[in-house]
């Protein structure tokens, strides 16, 4: 039996970097200290905040919601609202929504479910079929990612949120980091900061990652201890891509050389700092979408580009020139 | 005999051994202890704990979306 390094109880977790073992009680204290330190270090929240927690129904986001609701009881100026985006994926979202509702009700937290159907006009299942019919070259995850991000920001703002918290953990962040190194996408690496986004746009809600320094193993254990670990349902669109190999590779390294993950995170923070003000990296100013008014990298935002290409909205004639420059696949008028 | 299974029941192994450190038992069947939370006889344990004949180990995958 492995004993806790701080008391006589049985250990449930070993931190192989500092060599300490933790019982259930001391693990929860360690977890709490670590998340609070992350929040403080990167100045994620102020004294008065309406925190919108982006919840997918997976273990990490349920853990984040659970953690922040508990923490908010000690901070009088905080209000928490959970936000779940319902993409409309049959056999997946309808099941995971139940885990979410159970946890939200147990915690007594306000929540909002925003559906693709309601905001975009069609469910993801429908959008995927429409895209296929029109011969668009996008994967389901491209539509999903773009519309999800779009709605998270828009709905968080409409709810009166001052900050949007997502459940990305250390593992997620460093996997994306390695993927972007391979793809030579340094502009995307900058977006992996613990506090991110074009903060100087009036319609942009600041984004934070309170689990930035927390291992996926630790968020999982937190979810199991607190009865949050959901029944596993895989998204039918989940791609088998390079991320799986990178994850396995990093986990193999971590098993052989404990501390590898933290080293990668430090490497990421250094490179973000080096790239931040580098004129060679043309990040460009944040614009406002001429169609929907949301913050955007171009004059027409990615979500509106997809909507035009899918035939959900029509391209206004005065934007035709811009659309051609952005190489939007403009459907022919009937 | 030590039995190991994934929590969703999708995989199961029976290991004909009297005892062993869990990390090594997992490595022997091609799994990384880094990727699972380990439940031995209904209690969370660490990969450095031992399993003995008759123990049932359930693995909760750490990897899966947010
Ligand atoms: Zn203890
Ligand atoms: Zn737009």
């Amino acid at each position: 039996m492995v004993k806790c390094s701080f008391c006589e109880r049985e250990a449930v977790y070993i931190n192989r970097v500092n060599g300490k073992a933790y019982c259930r009680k001391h693990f929860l204290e360690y977890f709490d200290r670590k998340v609070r330190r992350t929040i403080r270090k990167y100045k994620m929240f102020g004294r008065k905040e309406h925190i919108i927690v982006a919840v997918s129904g997976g273990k990490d986001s349920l853990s984040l919601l659970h953690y922040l609701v508990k923490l908010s009881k000690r901070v009088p100026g905080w209000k928490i609202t959970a936000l779940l985006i319902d993409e409309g994926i049959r056999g997946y979202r309808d099941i995971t929504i139940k885990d979410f509702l159970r946890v939200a009700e147990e915690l007594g937290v306000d929540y909002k479910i925003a559906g693709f159907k309601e905001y975009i006009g069609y469910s993801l299942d429908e959008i995927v079929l429409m895209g296929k019919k029109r011969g668009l070259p996008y994967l389901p995850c491209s539509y999903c990612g773009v519309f999800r991000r779009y709605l998270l920001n828009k709905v968080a703002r409409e709810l009166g949120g001052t900050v949007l918290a997502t459940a990305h953990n250390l593992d997620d962040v460093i996997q994306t980091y390695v993927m972007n190194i391979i793809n030579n996408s340094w502009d995307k690496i900058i977006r992996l900061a613990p506090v991110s986004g074009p903060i100087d746009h009036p319609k942009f809600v600041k984004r934070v990652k309170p689990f930035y320094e927390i291992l996926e193993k630790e968020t999982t254990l937190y979810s199991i201890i607190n009865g949050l670990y959901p029944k596993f349902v895989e998204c039918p669109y989940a791609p088998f891509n390079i991320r799986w190999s990178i994850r396995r590779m990093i986990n193999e390294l971590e098993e052989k050389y404990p501390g590898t993950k933290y080293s990668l995170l430090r490497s990421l923070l250094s490179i973000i700092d080096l790239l931040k003000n580098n004129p060679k990296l043309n990040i460009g100013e944040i614009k406002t979408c001429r169609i929907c008014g949301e913050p955007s990298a171009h004059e027409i935002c990615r979500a509106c580009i997809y909507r035009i290409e899918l035939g959900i909205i029509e391209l206004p004639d005065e934007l035709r020139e811009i659309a051609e420059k952005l190489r939007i696949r403009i459907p022919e008028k009937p | 005999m030590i039995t190991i299974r994934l929590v969703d029941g999708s995989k199961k192994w029976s290991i004909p051994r009297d005892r062993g450190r869990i990390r090594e038992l997992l490595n022997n069947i091609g799994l990384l202890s880094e990727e699972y939370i380990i439940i031995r006889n209904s209690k969370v344990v660490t990969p450095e704990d031992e399993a003995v004949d008759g123990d049932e180990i359930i693995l909760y995958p750490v990897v899966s979306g947010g």
Side-chain angles (χ1 to χ4, degrees), chain A residues 22-278:
Chain A
Y22 301 82
C23 68
R24 192 186 150 103
K25 169 173 175 272
H26 285 111
F27 169 76
L28 289 173
E29 284 180 18
Y30 157 83
F31 186 90
D32 178 48
R33 261 200 319 277
K34 213 172 165 192
V35 184
R36 273 190 295 143
R37 193 182 60 211
T38 309
I39 291 171
R40 243 193 343 263
K41 185 159 135 196
Y42 301 109
K43 301 185 175 64
M44 293 184 173
F45 305 121
R47 281 174 199 281
K48 224 180 126 44
E49 298 279 9
H50 181 181
I51 304 169
I52 308 293
V53 183
V55 184
S56 70
K59 60 188 167 51
D60 295 325
S61 62
L62 292 178
S63 294
L64 180 64
L65 181 63
H66 181 275
Y67 179 82
L68 287 177
V69 167
K70 301 271 170 207
L71 185 60
S72 72
K73 304 237 150 82
R74 293 186 259 162
V75 191
W78 283 10
K79 177 181 160 52
I80 309 271
T81 302
L83 171 57
L84 181 135
I85 305 295
D86 176 5
E87 311 87 355
I89 304 173
R90 195 167 301 170
Y92 168 70
R93 182 49 79 202
D94 38 347
I95 297 168
T96 50
I97 251 177
K98 287 187 190 132
D99 281 312
F100 166 68
L101 289 175
R102 176 180 60 84
V103 173
E105 255 141 53
E106 270 171 26
L107 291 171
V109 65
D110 288 338
Y111 65 85
K112 160 89 181 169
I113 296 176
F116 274 22
K117 188 97 185 165
E118 170 194 354
Y119 283 85
I120 311 290
Y122 298 89
S123 69
L124 184 68
D125 288 340
E126 291 167 330
I127 289 170
V128 169
L129 288 178
M130 289 156 74
K132 259 194 202 135
K133 221 178 259 172
R134 287 171 179 264
L136 298 178
Y138 310 117
L139 293 172
C141 299
S142 310
Y143 299 117
C144 189
V146 166
F147 289 136
R148 263 182 64 83
R149 263 195 306 280
Y150 180 81
L151 287 186
L152 281 175
N153 187 68
K154 185 181 164 74
V155 179
R157 189 185 66 239
E158 288 172 359
L159 289 168
T162 53
V163 56
L164 177 66
T166 62
H168 296 103
N169 56 47
L170 195 158
D171 292 71
D172 297 328
V173 169
I174 57 174
Q175 283 157 23
T176 311
Y177 174 41
V178 173
M179 279 172 72
N180 286 325
I181 293 176
I182 293 170
N183 292 334
N184 195 22
S185 302
W186 302 91
D187 53 326
K188 287 191 182 148
I189 287 173
I190 292 189
R191 288 191 237 144
L192 290 173
V195 176
S196 64
I199 293 165
D200 47 354
H201 191 286
K203 287 196 163 177
F204 190 86
V205 182
K206 169 176 143 179
R207 284 188 181 209
V208 300
K209 305 178 182 80
F211 287 166
Y212 198 72
E213 299 195 351
I214 315 296
L215 296 167
E216 193 164 35
K217 197 167 190 179
E218 296 170 341
T219 58
T220 308
L221 182 52
Y222 182 90
S223 79
I224 292 171
I225 290 176
N226 289 295
L228 305 166
Y229 193 93
K231 214 174 91 194
F232 181 65
V233 207
E234 190 161 34
C235 175
Y237 299 120
F240 192 78
N241 60 19
I242 193 169
R243 182 181 286 273
W244 288 89
S245 312
I246 289 171
R247 169 141 62 189
R248 175 79 188 189
M249 182 189 80
I250 294 175
N251 282 334
E252 276 171 3
L253 284 171
E254 182 69 28
E255 190 127 332
K256 271 192 212 141
Y257 311 104
T260 298
K261 291 181 181 179
Y262 291 113
S263 297
L264 267 169
L265 189 74
R266 282 194 295 274
S267 157
L268 170 63
L269 287 166
S270 301
I271 203 74
I272 289 174
D273 200 45
L274 289 170
L275 292 173
K276 215 165 41 189
N277 299 311
N278 192 323

Side-chain angles (χ1 to χ4, degrees), chain A residues 4-9 22-23 25-26:
Chain A
C4 177
S5 307
F6 307 92
C7 73
E8 295 297 310
R9 280 181 285 255
Y22 301 82
C23 68
K25 169 173 175 272
H26 285 111

Side-chain angles (χ1 to χ4, degrees), chain A residues 150 289-294 296 300-305 307:
Chain A
Y150 180 81
C289 174
R290 302 261 304 257
I291 295 177
C292 69
E294 292 293 313
S296 165
I300 302 174
C301 78
R302 199 74 231 169
C304 286
I305 292 179
R307 283 189 288 196

